[in-house]
Amino acid sequence: MATNSLNIWSADTTPPAGVLAAINGVPLTAVNTDVRPEDGLFATNHALNTLHYTTATGVKEASTIGTSFASPIPFGLSTDPITGDAVPAFVTIPIGAAPVIFIANAANTGVGHTGNSAVTNIDVNTGTNQAARLFSGTECDATVVGGSSTNAVSAILREPTSGTMNTTEFTSFQVNGGLSQETGVSASANNPLSATCTSTGGSGGGSRFRAIGTGDEVKGVGLTADSLGYLFFSFEAVPPTTIGAANSYKYLTVDGIDPINATYSTGVTPACLTGTITTCQATHSATTREYTNFPNLRNGTYHEWTMYRMIADSTQPTNVANAQALVNAANIVADTSLPDFIPIASACDGTNGLLADEPGWQLYREHYTPSGVVLPTVSPFNPPVGGVEEPNDGPNLFRNANPSGLHCTTTGKTYFSWTLAGTDPSHVNTEVGGDVGGTIVNNAGMQNTSPGATAPGATEPTPH
């Protein structure tokens, strides 16, 4: 099993009032996810059938960093492949968006090492895809981050069934001519993964290792000299460390774009503390009276991100309502006490403890059918074409001429109430299909902001 021990609240800390109200004594069948179910099924099938990790033969996805492991288990979206039973209908409720960040070991600040102040960036879509060169084992030296070929650099990969791994795989590695991070890796010969890049057909003196879970990933980068890893950002996962100290790390820009702040400084991750507790208000502008955290994620220039969702059993309407209430509470927490992601919903200054207007998340990715995945039938909402369900982005009100708006009286601003996923009130469109790596679309006339994709409406730069 994967272990992710993150210091957020102590065992006796009461959850935020809104969260407690949403779950206390309320029946709820739901689970959070960082990829859509269709993308999770693709990842599981890929791990089982292509990479040949399997619980049946004991070949688990094992950690090099510790003793954690992950076991891919077959599942289905319409029929359970183990029992043959029908899978209950479900709905996905959007929560918000968070960036993938790349982190580098910062213990050695000498020239050419990853802790040096000159190492600030890794390219994905600018020139050569250096991130893919490193994580695929093609070139494991400091040239991938602008350093010297004489300094070895290692990569800490995540497990193939990880949502973080698959998001990064199809937004950072298998784009712009890049190769998969599983290139040259064998479930039987490299498990737990510990392979020099030269042994798998690459160059440079570095190696590739495997982490299971976010905690393992951060620990691995901290322990491994001149190494890089990746994770979904959260204040709890990567608290600030002192560059040059043992087990330290820093974050990097991607293609020169900062994933957390407007501009890059030292790479020290930001703190979110009130005393010794991980809690703070999200960054907001005194001028515009709007929340402005993750500015380059909000404006669409940083492309490595995912949308968090809650999957809820939709056979019971009260269950969906209870799940939505919990999501609503989480959105408030994201602005007022733990700003790990951009909330999906817009909200006004002065409501529920907000100190500014929350414009809400305003991007989405085009949906598609992942290879080998049969989409679940969501009729009567989306009648199948020829008996086959087609991907649907969901009720994207970007396309409506006059979407409803949220008017904030304190600031006098109106925010369009974009509905980006799940179902709309009329149930005309229900979200279905994978979206990992899908073309990024914003609210300005269906603009395509995804690098490498062609025209608006294209599914993804590299189909999988």
Side-chain angles (χ1 to χ4, degrees):
M1 60 182 295
T3 55
N4 288 284
S5 180
L6 303 176
N7 294 320
I8 308 171
W9 301 298
S10 70
D12 296 323
T13 300
T14 302
V19 172
L20 185 60
I23 62 176
N24 191 27
V26 173
L28 178 65
T29 302
V31 63
N32 289 338
T33 179
D34 49 23
V35 294
R36 283 198 51 78
E38 296 87 345
D39 291 312
L41 181 57
F42 170 85
T44 299
N45 290 344
H46 186 66
L48 290 168
N49 304 325
T50 303
L51 303 176
H52 303 297
Y53 293 95
T54 173
T55 305
T57 60
V59 183
K60 302 169 183 176
E61 302 165 344
S63 171
T64 320
I65 311 304
T67 59
S68 299
F69 60 86
S71 299
I73 304 292
F75 73 94
L77 302 176
S78 300
T79 303
D80 187 318
I82 298 176
T83 66
D85 294 339
V87 174
F90 60 87
V91 64
T92 54
I93 303 172
I95 301 173
V100 172
I101 66 169
F102 285 87
I103 58 173
N105 180 280
N108 190 337
T109 59
V111 175
H113 294 277
T114 55
N116 187 265
S117 59
V119 175
T120 63
N121 177 70
I122 190 161
D123 284 332
V124 169
N125 288 289
T126 302
T128 301
N129 188 336
Q130 300 292 1
R133 288 183 64 78
L134 172 62
F135 283 84
S136 68
T138 303
E139 185 169 12
C140 299
D141 57 57
T143 58
V144 297
V145 287
S148 169
S149 61
T150 60
N151 289 331
V153 171
S154 295
I156 314 294
L157 285 62
R158 283 291 305 274
E159 70 275 20
T161 46
S162 157
T164 314
M165 182 275 193
N166 282 270
T167 299
T168 314
E169 176 82 354
F170 295 108
T171 60
S172 300
F173 299 141
Q174 290 201 46
V175 297
N176 189 27
L179 298 175
S180 170
Q181 59 195 298
E182 294 297 318
T183 299
V185 176
S186 165
S188 56
N190 308 117
N191 193 25
L193 176 61
S194 180
T196 63
C197 294
T198 53
S199 70
T200 54
S203 63
S207 299
R208 287 186 291 169
F209 304 108
R210 177 88 69 200
I212 307 294
T214 299
D216 222 26
E217 180 78 14
V218 176
K219 178 182 178 181
V221 172
L223 290 173
T224 308
D226 289 326
S227 65
L228 266 67
Y230 58 85
L231 68 149
F232 287 126
F233 172 80
S234 73
F235 288 100
E236 315 90 282
V238 280
T241 60
T242 302
I243 292 177
N247 301 328
S248 62
Y249 51 78
K250 63 183 181 181
Y251 77 93
L252 305 177
T253 62
V254 175
D255 296 322
I257 307 297
D258 191 302
I260 304 171
N261 301 305
T263 56
Y264 189 82
S265 180
T266 62
V268 174
T269 52
C272 175
L273 291 172
T274 300
T276 60
I277 303 298
T278 304
T279 182
C280 62
Q281 277 267 348
T283 305
H284 50 280
S285 168
T287 303
T288 64
R289 298 287 294 276
E290 290 181 327
Y291 283 101
T292 57
N293 54 323
F294 304 113
N296 296 323
L297 201 61
R298 289 181 186 267
N299 65 28
T301 57
Y302 190 82
H303 299 106
E304 282 67 27
W305 55 267
T306 195
M307 184 183 290
Y308 294 149
R309 296 174 171 92
M310 182 173 285
I311 306 172
D313 180 351
S314 62
T315 60
Q316 299 294 327
T318 55
N319 185 68
V320 177
N322 294 339
Q324 185 66 65
L326 181 55
V327 168
N328 294 345
N331 272 217
I332 296 168
V333 168
D335 278 329
T336 60
S337 55
L338 196 60
D340 285 339
F341 62 89
I342 299 173
I344 186 71
S346 54
C348 294
D349 181 2
T351 61
N352 298 304
L354 270 66
L355 300 181
D357 289 350
E358 172 54 72
W361 180 241
Q362 306 219 357
L363 301 171
Y364 72 94
R365 293 186 184 274
E366 288 278 306
H367 291 43
Y368 57 91
T369 304
S371 177
V373 171
V374 177
L375 300 183
T377 299
V378 292
S379 300
F381 302 148
N382 294 344
V385 176
V388 178
E389 189 65 71
E390 292 192 334
N392 192 304
D393 298 330
N396 298 301
L397 297 185
F398 295 142
R399 298 170 178 169
N400 289 7
N402 296 297
S404 60
L406 173 69
H407 183 71
C408 296
T409 56
T410 303
T411 60
K413 295 180 180 179
T414 298
Y415 299 98
F416 291 130
S417 298
W418 309 120
T419 304
L420 296 177
T423 61
D424 61 8
S426 64
H427 298 297
V428 174
N429 291 314
T430 294
E431 185 184 16
V432 64
D435 73 343
V436 164
T439 296
I440 300 170
V441 182
N442 63 22
N443 61 3
M446 293 289 290
Q447 285 210 351
N448 175 0
T449 62
S450 182
T454 52
T459 52
E460 54 174 354
T462 305
H464 64 273

PDB file of all heavy atoms in Angstrom, residues 81-116:
ATOM      1  N   PRO A  81     -15.456  -6.325 -13.803  1.00  0.00           N
ATOM      2  CA  PRO A  81     -14.862  -7.467 -14.495  1.00  0.00           C
ATOM      3  C   PRO A  81     -14.605  -8.654 -13.571  1.00  0.00           C
ATOM      4  O   PRO A  81     -14.369  -9.771 -14.057  1.00  0.00           O
ATOM      5  CB  PRO A  81     -13.546  -6.893 -15.034  1.00  0.00           C
ATOM      6  CG  PRO A  81     -13.205  -5.786 -14.098  1.00  0.00           C
ATOM      7  CD  PRO A  81     -14.509  -5.194 -13.684  1.00  0.00           C
ATOM      8  N   ILE A  82     -14.643  -8.454 -12.264  1.00  0.00           N
ATOM      9  CA  ILE A  82     -14.378  -9.549 -11.328  1.00  0.00           C
ATOM     10  C   ILE A  82     -15.672 -10.272 -10.953  1.00  0.00           C
ATOM     11  O   ILE A  82     -15.753 -11.502 -10.995  1.00  0.00           O
ATOM     12  CB  ILE A  82     -13.675  -9.015 -10.066  1.00  0.00           C
ATOM     13  CG1 ILE A  82     -12.318  -8.408 -10.442  1.00  0.00           C
ATOM     14  CG2 ILE A  82     -13.492 -10.123  -9.030  1.00  0.00           C
ATOM     15  CD1 ILE A  82     -11.579  -7.756  -9.292  1.00  0.00           C
ATOM     16  N   THR A  83     -16.717  -9.526 -10.627  1.00  0.00           N
ATOM     17  CA  THR A  83     -17.978 -10.141 -10.207  1.00  0.00           C
ATOM     18  C   THR A  83     -18.997 -10.276 -11.321  1.00  0.00           C
ATOM     19  O   THR A  83     -19.928 -11.079 -11.229  1.00  0.00           O
ATOM     20  CB  THR A  83     -18.613  -9.314  -9.076  1.00  0.00           C
ATOM     21  OG1 THR A  83     -18.987  -8.028  -9.598  1.00  0.00           O
ATOM     22  CG2 THR A  83     -17.636  -9.133  -7.917  1.00  0.00           C
ATOM     23  N   GLY A  84     -18.829  -9.456 -12.373  1.00  0.00           N
ATOM     24  CA  GLY A  84     -19.816  -9.438 -13.445  1.00  0.00           C
ATOM     25  C   GLY A  84     -21.028  -8.587 -13.129  1.00  0.00           C
ATOM     26  O   GLY A  84     -21.961  -8.483 -13.940  1.00  0.00           O
ATOM     27  N   ASP A  85     -21.053  -7.970 -11.954  1.00  0.00           N
ATOM     28  CA  ASP A  85     -22.191  -7.134 -11.568  1.00  0.00           C
ATOM     29  C   ASP A  85     -22.156  -5.795 -12.288  1.00  0.00           C
ATOM     30  O   ASP A  85     -21.088  -5.303 -12.673  1.00  0.00           O
ATOM     31  CB  ASP A  85     -22.167  -6.877 -10.058  1.00  0.00           C
ATOM     32  CG  ASP A  85     -22.388  -8.142  -9.243  1.00  0.00           C
ATOM     33  OD1 ASP A  85     -22.937  -9.113  -9.812  1.00  0.00           O
ATOM     34  OD2 ASP A  85     -21.990  -8.157  -8.058  1.00  0.00           O
ATOM     35  N   ALA A  86     -23.340  -5.204 -12.434  1.00  0.00           N
ATOM     36  CA  ALA A  86     -23.425  -3.871 -13.028  1.00  0.00           C
ATOM     37  C   ALA A  86     -22.864  -2.844 -12.055  1.00  0.00           C
ATOM     38  O   ALA A  86     -23.096  -2.922 -10.843  1.00  0.00           O
ATOM     39  CB  ALA A  86     -24.867  -3.536 -13.379  1.00  0.00           C
ATOM     40  N   VAL A  87     -22.111  -1.895 -12.576  1.00  0.00           N
ATOM     41  CA  VAL A  87     -21.568  -0.817 -11.754  1.00  0.00           C
ATOM     42  C   VAL A  87     -22.657   0.244 -11.602  1.00  0.00           C
ATOM     43  O   VAL A  87     -23.238   0.690 -12.592  1.00  0.00           O
ATOM     44  CB  VAL A  87     -20.318  -0.205 -12.408  1.00  0.00           C
ATOM     45  CG1 VAL A  87     -19.832   1.014 -11.633  1.00  0.00           C
ATOM     46  CG2 VAL A  87     -19.211  -1.250 -12.513  1.00  0.00           C
ATOM     47  N   PRO A  88     -22.963   0.664 -10.380  1.00  0.00           N
ATOM     48  CA  PRO A  88     -23.988   1.705 -10.204  1.00  0.00           C
ATOM     49  C   PRO A  88     -23.625   2.976 -10.969  1.00  0.00           C
ATOM     50  O   PRO A  88     -22.449   3.304 -11.132  1.00  0.00           O
ATOM     51  CB  PRO A  88     -23.975   1.958  -8.694  1.00  0.00           C
ATOM     52  CG  PRO A  88     -23.410   0.704  -8.100  1.00  0.00           C
ATOM     53  CD  PRO A  88     -22.416   0.196  -9.101  1.00  0.00           C
ATOM     54  N   ALA A  89     -24.641   3.672 -11.435  1.00  0.00           N
ATOM     55  CA  ALA A  89     -24.399   4.926 -12.148  1.00  0.00           C
ATOM     56  C   ALA A  89     -23.720   5.922 -11.217  1.00  0.00           C
ATOM     57  O   ALA A  89     -23.943   5.923 -10.005  1.00  0.00           O
ATOM     58  CB  ALA A  89     -25.718   5.489 -12.663  1.00  0.00           C
ATOM     59  N   PHE A  90     -22.871   6.757 -11.810  1.00  0.00           N
ATOM     60  CA  PHE A  90     -22.141   7.730 -11.011  1.00  0.00           C
ATOM     61  C   PHE A  90     -22.089   9.063 -11.740  1.00  0.00           C
ATOM     62  O   PHE A  90     -22.330   9.151 -12.936  1.00  0.00           O
ATOM     63  CB  PHE A  90     -20.716   7.247 -10.717  1.00  0.00           C
ATOM     64  CG  PHE A  90     -19.880   6.996 -11.956  1.00  0.00           C
ATOM     65  CD1 PHE A  90     -19.153   8.023 -12.553  1.00  0.00           C
ATOM     66  CD2 PHE A  90     -19.816   5.733 -12.528  1.00  0.00           C
ATOM     67  CE1 PHE A  90     -18.390   7.804 -13.685  1.00  0.00           C
ATOM     68  CE2 PHE A  90     -19.055   5.498 -13.664  1.00  0.00           C
ATOM     69  CZ  PHE A  90     -18.330   6.528 -14.242  1.00  0.00           C
ATOM     70  N   VAL A  91     -21.782  10.104 -10.989  1.00  0.00           N
ATOM     71  CA  VAL A  91     -21.601  11.429 -11.556  1.00  0.00           C
ATOM     72  C   VAL A  91     -20.311  11.997 -10.999  1.00  0.00           C
ATOM     73  O   VAL A  91     -19.907  11.680  -9.877  1.00  0.00           O
ATOM     74  CB  VAL A  91     -22.796  12.346 -11.220  1.00  0.00           C
ATOM     75  CG1 VAL A  91     -22.900  12.588  -9.718  1.00  0.00           C
ATOM     76  CG2 VAL A  91     -22.706  13.680 -11.950  1.00  0.00           C
ATOM     77  N   THR A  92     -19.618  12.785 -11.797  1.00  0.00           N
ATOM     78  CA  THR A  92     -18.402  13.450 -11.330  1.00  0.00           C
ATOM     79  C   THR A  92     -18.708  14.914 -11.063  1.00  0.00           C
ATOM     80  O   THR A  92     -19.290  15.597 -11.903  1.00  0.00           O
ATOM     81  CB  THR A  92     -17.270  13.337 -12.361  1.00  0.00           C
ATOM     82  OG1 THR A  92     -17.726  13.823 -13.629  1.00  0.00           O
ATOM     83  CG2 THR A  92     -16.818  11.892 -12.526  1.00  0.00           C
ATOM     84  N   ILE A  93     -18.319  15.371  -9.897  1.00  0.00           N
ATOM     85  CA  ILE A  93     -18.569  16.748  -9.489  1.00  0.00           C
ATOM     86  C   ILE A  93     -17.238  17.486  -9.430  1.00  0.00           C
ATOM     87  O   ILE A  93     -16.329  17.065  -8.706  1.00  0.00           O
ATOM     88  CB  ILE A  93     -19.243  16.799  -8.105  1.00  0.00           C
ATOM     89  CG1 ILE A  93     -20.549  15.999  -8.132  1.00  0.00           C
ATOM     90  CG2 ILE A  93     -19.490  18.238  -7.669  1.00  0.00           C
ATOM     91  CD1 ILE A  93     -21.183  15.828  -6.755  1.00  0.00           C
ATOM     92  N   PRO A  94     -17.059  18.557 -10.199  1.00  0.00           N
ATOM     93  CA  PRO A  94     -15.780  19.266 -10.187  1.00  0.00           C
ATOM     94  C   PRO A  94     -15.541  19.976  -8.871  1.00  0.00           C
ATOM     95  O   PRO A  94     -16.462  20.547  -8.276  1.00  0.00           O
ATOM     96  CB  PRO A  94     -15.921  20.261 -11.343  1.00  0.00           C
ATOM     97  CG  PRO A  94     -17.392  20.496 -11.452  1.00  0.00           C
ATOM     98  CD  PRO A  94     -18.045  19.200 -11.081  1.00  0.00           C
ATOM     99  N   ILE A  95     -14.299  19.941  -8.402  1.00  0.00           N
ATOM    100  CA  ILE A  95     -13.916  20.608  -7.159  1.00  0.00           C
ATOM    101  C   ILE A  95     -13.078  21.838  -7.453  1.00  0.00           C
ATOM    102  O   ILE A  95     -13.349  22.936  -6.959  1.00  0.00           O
ATOM    103  CB  ILE A  95     -13.141  19.646  -6.237  1.00  0.00           C
ATOM    104  CG1 ILE A  95     -13.985  18.415  -5.901  1.00  0.00           C
ATOM    105  CG2 ILE A  95     -12.695  20.365  -4.969  1.00  0.00           C
ATOM    106  CD1 ILE A  95     -13.231  17.335  -5.141  1.00  0.00           C
ATOM    107  N   GLY A  96     -12.025  21.677  -8.265  1.00  0.00           N
ATOM    108  CA  GLY A  96     -11.141  22.794  -8.589  1.00  0.00           C
ATOM    109  C   GLY A  96      -9.901  22.283  -9.289  1.00  0.00           C
ATOM    110  O   GLY A  96      -9.775  21.094  -9.571  1.00  0.00           O
ATOM    111  N   ALA A  97      -8.981  23.180  -9.573  1.00  0.00           N
ATOM    112  CA  ALA A  97      -7.797  22.849 -10.364  1.00  0.00           C
ATOM    113  C   ALA A  97      -6.522  23.080  -9.567  1.00  0.00           C
ATOM    114  O   ALA A  97      -6.431  24.011  -8.764  1.00  0.00           O
ATOM    115  CB  ALA A  97      -7.762  23.686 -11.640  1.00  0.00           C
ATOM    116  N   ALA A  98      -5.523  22.225  -9.825  1.00  0.00           N
ATOM    117  CA  ALA A  98      -4.231  22.337  -9.139  1.00  0.00           C
ATOM    118  C   ALA A  98      -3.108  22.018 -10.121  1.00  0.00           C
ATOM    119  O   ALA A  98      -3.285  21.214 -11.043  1.00  0.00           O
ATOM    120  CB  ALA A  98      -4.163  21.387  -7.946  1.00  0.00           C
ATOM    121  N   PRO A  99      -1.938  22.629  -9.939  1.00  0.00           N
ATOM    122  CA  PRO A  99      -0.832  22.401 -10.876  1.00  0.00           C
ATOM    123  C   PRO A  99       0.033  21.211 -10.495  1.00  0.00           C
ATOM    124  O   PRO A  99       0.189  20.884  -9.309  1.00  0.00           O
ATOM    125  CB  PRO A  99      -0.021  23.697 -10.736  1.00  0.00           C
ATOM    126  CG  PRO A  99      -0.210  24.094  -9.296  1.00  0.00           C
ATOM    127  CD  PRO A  99      -1.629  23.683  -8.958  1.00  0.00           C
ATOM    128  N   VAL A 100       0.599  20.574 -11.506  1.00  0.00           N
ATOM    129  CA  VAL A 100       1.746  19.690 -11.312  1.00  0.00           C
ATOM    130  C   VAL A 100       2.978  20.585 -11.246  1.00  0.00           C
ATOM    131  O   VAL A 100       3.139  21.486 -12.069  1.00  0.00           O
ATOM    132  CB  VAL A 100       1.911  18.705 -12.486  1.00  0.00           C
ATOM    133  CG1 VAL A 100       3.218  17.926 -12.360  1.00  0.00           C
ATOM    134  CG2 VAL A 100       0.736  17.746 -12.556  1.00  0.00           C
ATOM    135  N   ILE A 101       3.829  20.357 -10.248  1.00  0.00           N
ATOM    136  CA  ILE A 101       5.086  21.104 -10.186  1.00  0.00           C
ATOM    137  C   ILE A 101       6.255  20.132 -10.234  1.00  0.00           C
ATOM    138  O   ILE A 101       6.151  18.989  -9.792  1.00  0.00           O
ATOM    139  CB  ILE A 101       5.184  21.986  -8.924  1.00  0.00           C
ATOM    140  CG1 ILE A 101       5.248  21.127  -7.648  1.00  0.00           C
ATOM    141  CG2 ILE A 101       4.025  22.963  -8.866  1.00  0.00           C
ATOM    142  CD1 ILE A 101       5.615  21.918  -6.399  1.00  0.00           C
ATOM    143  N   PHE A 102       7.354  20.592 -10.810  1.00  0.00           N
ATOM    144  CA  PHE A 102       8.606  19.834 -10.787  1.00  0.00           C
ATOM    145  C   PHE A 102       9.462  20.369  -9.649  1.00  0.00           C
ATOM    146  O   PHE A 102       9.579  21.592  -9.476  1.00  0.00           O
ATOM    147  CB  PHE A 102       9.355  19.972 -12.120  1.00  0.00           C
ATOM    148  CG  PHE A 102       8.748  19.167 -13.234  1.00  0.00           C
ATOM    149  CD1 PHE A 102       7.728  19.692 -14.019  1.00  0.00           C
ATOM    150  CD2 PHE A 102       9.196  17.877 -13.497  1.00  0.00           C
ATOM    151  CE1 PHE A 102       7.164  18.950 -15.046  1.00  0.00           C
ATOM    152  CE2 PHE A 102       8.633  17.122 -14.521  1.00  0.00           C
ATOM    153  CZ  PHE A 102       7.620  17.661 -15.298  1.00  0.00           C
ATOM    154  N   ILE A 103      10.025  19.456  -8.859  1.00  0.00           N
ATOM    155  CA  ILE A 103      10.914  19.862  -7.775  1.00  0.00           C
ATOM    156  C   ILE A 103      12.288  19.251  -7.998  1.00  0.00           C
ATOM    157  O   ILE A 103      12.424  18.188  -8.622  1.00  0.00           O
ATOM    158  CB  ILE A 103      10.375  19.466  -6.387  1.00  0.00           C
ATOM    159  CG1 ILE A 103      10.156  17.955  -6.276  1.00  0.00           C
ATOM    160  CG2 ILE A 103       9.088  20.218  -6.085  1.00  0.00           C
ATOM    161  CD1 ILE A 103       9.794  17.489  -4.859  1.00  0.00           C
ATOM    162  N   ALA A 104      13.322  19.930  -7.496  1.00  0.00           N
ATOM    163  CA  ALA A 104      14.706  19.485  -7.658  1.00  0.00           C
ATOM    164  C   ALA A 104      15.399  19.461  -6.308  1.00  0.00           C
ATOM    165  O   ALA A 104      15.149  20.322  -5.454  1.00  0.00           O
ATOM    166  CB  ALA A 104      15.458  20.417  -8.608  1.00  0.00           C
ATOM    167  N   ASN A 105      16.252  18.472  -6.107  1.00  0.00           N
ATOM    168  CA  ASN A 105      17.063  18.437  -4.896  1.00  0.00           C
ATOM    169  C   ASN A 105      17.912  19.698  -4.845  1.00  0.00           C
ATOM    170  O   ASN A 105      18.517  20.098  -5.840  1.00  0.00           O
ATOM    171  CB  ASN A 105      17.950  17.192  -4.900  1.00  0.00           C
ATOM    172  CG  ASN A 105      18.826  17.101  -3.670  1.00  0.00           C
ATOM    173  OD1 ASN A 105      19.870  17.761  -3.589  1.00  0.00           O
ATOM    174  ND2 ASN A 105      18.436  16.284  -2.720  1.00  0.00           N
ATOM    175  N   ALA A 106      17.959  20.351  -3.670  1.00  0.00           N
ATOM    176  CA  ALA A 106      18.648  21.636  -3.555  1.00  0.00           C
ATOM    177  C   ALA A 106      19.799  21.597  -2.554  1.00  0.00           C
ATOM    178  O   ALA A 106      20.274  22.649  -2.116  1.00  0.00           O
ATOM    179  CB  ALA A 106      17.647  22.718  -3.155  1.00  0.00           C
ATOM    180  N   ALA A 107      20.242  20.399  -2.187  1.00  0.00           N
ATOM    181  CA  ALA A 107      21.282  20.299  -1.163  1.00  0.00           C
ATOM    182  C   ALA A 107      22.638  20.800  -1.658  1.00  0.00           C
ATOM    183  O   ALA A 107      23.373  21.460  -0.922  1.00  0.00           O
ATOM    184  CB  ALA A 107      21.403  18.852  -0.677  1.00  0.00           C
ATOM    185  N   ASN A 108      22.980  20.491  -2.905  1.00  0.00           N
ATOM    186  CA  ASN A 108      24.283  20.896  -3.461  1.00  0.00           C
ATOM    187  C   ASN A 108      24.074  22.137  -4.319  1.00  0.00           C
ATOM    188  O   ASN A 108      23.473  22.077  -5.386  1.00  0.00           O
ATOM    189  CB  ASN A 108      24.884  19.772  -4.289  1.00  0.00           C
ATOM    190  CG  ASN A 108      26.335  20.039  -4.676  1.00  0.00           C
ATOM    191  OD1 ASN A 108      26.782  21.191  -4.716  1.00  0.00           O
ATOM    192  ND2 ASN A 108      27.083  18.974  -4.968  1.00  0.00           N
ATOM    193  N   THR A 109      24.592  23.269  -3.848  1.00  0.00           N
ATOM    194  CA  THR A 109      24.411  24.530  -4.568  1.00  0.00           C
ATOM    195  C   THR A 109      25.592  24.863  -5.466  1.00  0.00           C
ATOM    196  O   THR A 109      25.674  25.960  -6.016  1.00  0.00           O
ATOM    197  CB  THR A 109      24.201  25.683  -3.574  1.00  0.00           C
ATOM    198  OG1 THR A 109      25.340  25.768  -2.700  1.00  0.00           O
ATOM    199  CG2 THR A 109      22.943  25.466  -2.753  1.00  0.00           C
ATOM    200  N   GLY A 110      26.508  23.919  -5.629  1.00  0.00           N
ATOM    201  CA  GLY A 110      27.662  24.147  -6.489  1.00  0.00           C
ATOM    202  C   GLY A 110      27.267  24.318  -7.940  1.00  0.00           C
ATOM    203  O   GLY A 110      26.176  23.914  -8.374  1.00  0.00           O
ATOM    204  N   VAL A 111      28.146  24.911  -8.721  1.00  0.00           N
ATOM    205  CA  VAL A 111      27.882  25.150 -10.137  1.00  0.00           C
ATOM    206  C   VAL A 111      27.589  23.831 -10.847  1.00  0.00           C
ATOM    207  O   VAL A 111      28.320  22.854 -10.690  1.00  0.00           O
ATOM    208  CB  VAL A 111      29.084  25.855 -10.804  1.00  0.00           C
ATOM    209  CG1 VAL A 111      28.848  25.990 -12.310  1.00  0.00           C
ATOM    210  CG2 VAL A 111      29.323  27.211 -10.171  1.00  0.00           C
ATOM    211  N   GLY A 112      26.506  23.821 -11.618  1.00  0.00           N
ATOM    212  CA  GLY A 112      26.148  22.637 -12.384  1.00  0.00           C
ATOM    213  C   GLY A 112      25.254  21.668 -11.657  1.00  0.00           C
ATOM    214  O   GLY A 112      24.725  20.734 -12.260  1.00  0.00           O
ATOM    215  N   HIS A 113      25.060  21.866 -10.351  1.00  0.00           N
ATOM    216  CA  HIS A 113      24.198  20.975  -9.580  1.00  0.00           C
ATOM    217  C   HIS A 113      22.791  21.565  -9.476  1.00  0.00           C
ATOM    218  O   HIS A 113      22.585  22.773  -9.650  1.00  0.00           O
ATOM    219  CB  HIS A 113      24.794  20.736  -8.193  1.00  0.00           C
ATOM    220  CG  HIS A 113      26.089  19.982  -8.235  1.00  0.00           C
ATOM    221  ND1 HIS A 113      26.163  18.608  -8.317  1.00  0.00           N
ATOM    222  CD2 HIS A 113      27.381  20.417  -8.222  1.00  0.00           C
ATOM    223  CE1 HIS A 113      27.426  18.229  -8.344  1.00  0.00           C
ATOM    224  NE2 HIS A 113      28.189  19.307  -8.298  1.00  0.00           N
ATOM    225  N   THR A 114      21.820  20.704  -9.159  1.00  0.00           N
ATOM    226  CA  THR A 114      20.422  21.141  -9.216  1.00  0.00           C
ATOM    227  C   THR A 114      20.079  22.158  -8.134  1.00  0.00           C
ATOM    228  O   THR A 114      19.082  22.862  -8.251  1.00  0.00           O
ATOM    229  CB  THR A 114      19.467  19.938  -9.114  1.00  0.00           C
ATOM    230  OG1 THR A 114      19.764  19.187  -7.922  1.00  0.00           O
ATOM    231  CG2 THR A 114      19.615  19.039 -10.333  1.00  0.00           C
ATOM    232  N   GLY A 115      20.880  22.247  -7.086  1.00  0.00           N
ATOM    233  CA  GLY A 115      20.630  23.245  -6.064  1.00  0.00           C
ATOM    234  C   GLY A 115      21.180  24.615  -6.385  1.00  0.00           C
ATOM    235  O   GLY A 115      20.890  25.596  -5.683  1.00  0.00           O
ATOM    236  N   ASN A 116      21.962  24.716  -7.462  1.00  0.00           N
ATOM    237  CA  ASN A 116      22.568  25.985  -7.837  1.00  0.00           C
ATOM    238  C   ASN A 116      21.494  26.984  -8.270  1.00  0.00           C
ATOM    239  O   ASN A 116      20.488  26.615  -8.881  1.00  0.00           O
ATOM    240  CB  ASN A 116      23.582  25.772  -8.962  1.00  0.00           C
ATOM    241  CG  ASN A 116      24.376  27.019  -9.287  1.00  0.00           C
ATOM    242  OD1 ASN A 116      24.016  27.764 -10.195  1.00  0.00           O
ATOM    243  ND2 ASN A 116      25.453  27.254  -8.546  1.00  0.00           N
TER     244      ASN A 116
END
